[in-house]
Amino acid sequence: MAEHNDLGAWGEALAVDYLSQKGHQILETSWRYSKGEIDIISMEGDVMVFTEVKTRTSAHFGKPEEFVDDKKMLILSRTATAYMNQQNYEWEVRFDVVSIVKLPHRDPIISHFTDAFFLGI
């Protein structure tokens, strides 16, 4: 597996642990539909949460969360719609972003952006 894939998998596993500790019930990880993938699908209370995880080894070229652009948001929205249709889910949803910066010889920096965007599903 390429190094960036290892970093991404490490970040997603860390995000699953982080969200679980915050009370999220994890439903799916790496859920794919067509050209889209949702890193983490969870329930927080009565809200279905679709989480995009961005992991980097530095913020030199920008913070990880800044890489969730309009195109990515549209893909996430379409993929989330497919998941909700498959599950017959029609209630409240939210899109979050978990940003992780893995630093050498230090604990990673984790930032959780709740309600990071909304595209009117």
Side-chain angles (χ1 to χ4, degrees):
M1 187 180 288
E3 189 174 328
H4 71 277
N5 290 336
D6 290 342
L7 179 65
W10 174 85
E12 289 176 20
L14 186 63
V16 165
D17 289 344
Y18 174 84
L19 292 173
S20 294
Q21 290 175 13
K22 290 193 144 295
H24 287 240
Q25 177 190 356
I26 306 301
L27 303 176
E28 305 274 354
T29 58
S30 302
W31 192 83
R32 294 177 179 274
Y33 176 80
S34 186
K35 296 179 183 179
E37 177 183 355
I38 297 178
D39 294 328
I40 303 169
I41 302 171
S42 63
M43 292 297 295
E44 184 180 38
D46 293 335
V47 179
M48 183 172 285
V49 182
F50 299 96
T51 303
E52 175 68 7
V53 180
K54 289 295 182 188
T55 307
R56 299 288 185 271
T57 55
S58 80
H60 182 73
F61 295 105
K63 297 176 182 176
E65 65 272 12
E66 294 171 350
F67 290 88
V68 182
D69 59 12
D70 290 343
K71 181 179 178 184
K72 182 65 175 180
M73 286 186 256
L74 184 59
I75 291 169
L76 289 168
S77 177
R78 289 178 178 162
T79 307
T81 298
Y83 183 80
M84 290 186 304
N85 287 339
Q86 177 184 319
Q87 301 298 316
N88 292 317
Y89 184 83
E90 299 178 356
W91 309 109
E92 187 176 353
V93 299
R94 187 176 82 212
F95 289 93
D96 289 4
V97 174
V98 172
S99 164
I100 301 171
V101 180
K102 181 181 183 184
L103 302 169
H105 314 294
R106 292 182 44 201
D107 288 339
I109 299 169
I110 302 173
S111 301
H112 182 194
F113 301 89
T114 59
D115 247 346
F117 62 92
F118 183 77
L119 295 176
I121 291 180

